[in-house]
Amino acid sequence: MKLMTIAKVVEQLKAEDLMFGEGKLRRAIKAGKIPYMMIGSRALVDIDDVRTLIRDGGGIGIEELSQEIGLKCSAIRRGIKEGWIPYKVNGRAYEFDMDEVLFAIEAKMKKQ
């Protein structure tokens, strides 16, 4: 267990090339997905819990998806509009499950 402030967690995740912004982290805490502890006016979270959330379906953002699969963000948005790329909306941001997206791309390739 390694407790850190929200800002430090986001900084650490960026250093590890994991795209998880402060707003998204605060929403996950508010939704009860990540336990936290208040010390004064600061919320402390376990960075390992955040990493687990990211790996276990917390979803990835469009920029990270773009880097992973090699499509531009505009192509991903077009796939969303056409209805063949699965996604979830978290606030105003798209979230993707990598396995579902890869399955959808494979299905699209087989159709063509």
Side-chain angles (χ1 to χ4, degrees):
M1 176 181 275
K2 186 171 183 184
L3 294 176
M4 303 171 93
T5 63
I6 292 172
K8 290 289 183 185
V9 167
V10 171
E11 183 181 306
Q12 178 68 35
L13 293 174
K14 282 183 183 176
E16 297 171 11
D17 290 329
L18 295 173
M19 303 297 175
F20 205 81
E22 187 173 331
K24 189 173 181 180
L25 180 55
R26 289 186 186 280
R27 285 190 299 274
I29 290 169
K30 189 175 182 179
K33 295 179 181 177
I34 300 174
Y36 68 98
M37 177 175 64
M38 294 299 294
I39 301 291
S41 63
R42 304 221 184 245
L44 299 178
V45 295
D46 183 1
I47 192 165
D48 294 328
D49 288 341
V50 178
R51 287 186 187 116
T52 300
L53 177 69
I54 293 170
R55 278 192 296 268
D56 293 344
I60 60 173
I62 195 166
E63 293 85 10
E64 188 175 351
L65 180 65
S66 173
Q67 290 173 354
E68 290 292 322
I69 64 175
L71 291 175
K72 292 184 177 183
C73 292
S74 59
I76 295 169
R77 286 187 186 95
R78 190 173 336 110
I80 291 169
K81 187 176 180 181
E82 292 171 0
W84 63 271
I85 293 183
Y87 67 96
K88 296 175 190 162
V89 177
N90 186 0
R92 295 185 335 195
Y94 291 121
E95 281 189 357
F96 304 90
D97 180 289
M98 182 62 77
D99 294 332
E100 289 179 5
V101 172
L102 292 175
F103 182 75
I105 290 171
E106 185 178 326
K108 178 86 169 166
M109 289 172 66
K110 286 181 181 178
K111 266 185 164 179
Q112 292 183 349

